[in-house]
Structure formats: structure tokens, C-alpha cells
Amino acid sequence: MLKRHAWQEAGVTTLPVMFGYLPLGAAFGILAIEVGIPAWGALLMSLLIYAGAGQFLAVTLLAAGAGLVEVAVATLMLNSRHLFYGLSLLRRFQGAGWRKPYLVFALTDETYSLLTTHAGDAGLDHAQAFHVSLLNQLWWVLGSMAGVLVGTTLAFDSRGIEFALTALFIVLTLEQARRLRQWLPFAIALATGLGAMLLLPDRHLLLGAIGAASLVLLVDYRRRQSGDRP
């Protein structure tokens, strides 16, 4: 009964992600079929790679004739932000046991947002983090399956469906702001994001914004630590 309640609670927690992942996963499935990826290949990507933006990038590059090395380097650059996610959760995942490898694998942007928004008892937290991570991937895989089905059976105009990812990030950001009630991280994110848009080319925008924001937050952290010392 307790386990069932935990899954129900995780289901409610992941509802915002579900509403984003189902249409976005469907968009990926449709795109993968349109560029010539076999249905089984698209589903395998969602099961074993599970990186939304990375999957979109990979199928686009493969369709353009890029080699595997180019795809690997571009994906590494795009997903390098996950290095910062992992570092911030090192203590959180301590003692997770057999769940830890999957928690590391399934740490998407949206899952990171949920895990850092919903805190709890250390023991329950690992189990609940596992439930949330697994359900989030389930929504993505189900969306991909639906997209593959549509892409192989119907002529589908997918223009505009990719905005689901932007809408999902907006919802998660507002939820974080409402719970944390700290303006500084969001002000830094806004400033570094706008600065990157003005100063950097598109291919370096994401990494530059994340790197700048992390540097500013690190400086602020060191300043606070120094101020707390006697």
C-alpha cells in the first residue's frame, strides 16, 4: 500500500513533465521517421539515450549526412550542462544503492528541476527520486511510440509542436521560483542568457550561458562562505 502511494505521489509530481514529454516525444518520433530512422531505432534512442534535445540534434545531423564522430561531439557539447547537474546532486545521491546508476542516467533537465524542487527524508528521497525519474522516462518513451506510430501511418504536419519543450521549461521555472522565493539565481540566469544571446554564436549559446551562470553562482557562494567565517 505504501509503495502504491509512493507511485501515485510520483505520478502527480511528474504531471507537468508528462504534458510536455508526450507531445515532444511524439514530435521526436515523427521527425525520426521523416528523416529515415527506422521505428525500432527511434524507440531504442528514447530507451537508451533519453536526451530530448540530444536526440533531436542526432537525427537532424544524421539526416544531413554527418558522421558518428560529429554527432558524438555535438551531442557532448549540447549535453555538457549535465555535468553541473551531477555535481550539484553528488550528496543527494549518496546512499542510493542500486538506484544510483539509473538516477544518474535519467537526470534530464526536467527531472533535475523536480528533484531539486521536491525535497524529503533522505531514505524516502532516493526511492521517490527513482519513481520520478522512471515515470519521466516512461512519458518520453510513450510519446516517442505515439510519434513513431503517427509517422509510419499518417501524413502529419509537425510544425510548431517543438514549442512544447519551451512551454515545459517555463512552467518548471515558475514552479521553482514559487517554491524557492530567491530572486538571485533567476536574475543570474536571465542576465547570462541574454548576454549569451547578444555575444555568442548560436552553437555556443547554451554552453556559454550555463558556464557564465555557474561561474557567477560559484563566486557568490565563495563570497557567502567567506562572510560566514569568524
Side-chain angles (χ1 to χ4, degrees), residues 36-148:
I37 303 294
W40 63 266
L43 294 178
L44 205 60
M45 288 179 72
S46 291
L47 283 169
L48 301 181
I49 298 177
Y50 184 38
Q55 289 179 223
F56 276 99
L57 177 66
V59 296
T60 303
L61 291 176
L62 289 173
L68 292 179
V69 174
E70 293 173 277
V71 174
V73 172
T75 303
L76 177 63
M77 293 295 293
L78 179 64
N79 289 331
S80 59
R81 64 192 185 279
H82 290 274
L83 294 172
F84 303 105
Y85 295 167
L87 289 173
S88 68
L89 290 178
L90 282 177
R91 292 185 179 179
R92 187 83 173 269
F93 286 169
Q94 282 183 351
W98 60 269
R99 300 182 182 93
K100 187 173 182 178
Y102 182 75
L103 290 174
V104 173
F105 163 76
L107 193 59
T108 63
D109 301 299
E110 295 76 18
T111 300
Y112 177 82
S113 178
L114 292 181
L115 295 184
T116 54
T117 299
H118 298 270
D121 173 74
L124 293 177
D125 190 41
H126 293 144
Q128 198 65 1
F130 178 78
H131 295 155
V132 167
S133 301
L134 192 60
L135 283 179
N136 279 346
Q137 186 174 15
L138 175 64
W139 307 141
W140 180 258
V141 172
L142 289 177
S144 300
M145 291 176 63
V148 166

Side-chain angles (χ1 to χ4, degrees), residues 89-230:
L89 290 178
L90 282 177
R91 292 185 179 179
R92 187 83 173 269
F93 286 169
Q94 282 183 351
W98 60 269
R99 300 182 182 93
K100 187 173 182 178
Y102 182 75
L103 290 174
V104 173
F105 163 76
L107 193 59
T108 63
D109 301 299
E110 295 76 18
T111 300
Y112 177 82
S113 178
L114 292 181
L115 295 184
T116 54
T117 299
H118 298 270
D121 173 74
L124 293 177
D125 190 41
H126 293 144
Q128 198 65 1
F130 178 78
H131 295 155
V132 167
S133 301
L134 192 60
L135 283 179
N136 279 346
Q137 186 174 15
L138 175 64
W139 307 141
W140 180 258
V141 172
L142 289 177
S144 300
M145 291 176 63
V148 166
L149 182 62
V150 170
T152 53
T153 58
L154 300 174
F156 187 80
D157 185 0
S158 60
R159 287 179 298 178
I161 198 171
E162 68 278 0
F163 184 74
L165 181 62
T166 303
L168 178 59
F169 275 123
I170 292 173
V171 170
L172 292 173
T173 300
L174 292 175
E175 178 68 10
Q176 287 273 30
R178 185 181 69 83
R179 286 180 173 272
L180 295 177
R181 299 184 183 278
Q182 296 180 15
W183 63 268
L184 183 60
F186 301 98
I188 292 173
L190 179 62
T192 53
L194 291 175
M197 291 176 63
L198 293 173
L199 301 174
L200 298 176
D202 290 346
R203 65 181 181 277
H204 299 316
L205 193 153
L206 183 61
L207 186 59
I210 292 174
S214 301
L215 180 61
V216 174
L217 288 171
L218 179 61
V219 170
D220 180 68
Y221 173 77
R222 294 296 298 272
R223 180 185 62 82
R224 291 171 183 268
Q225 291 291 99
S226 300
D228 291 339
R229 292 173 184 170

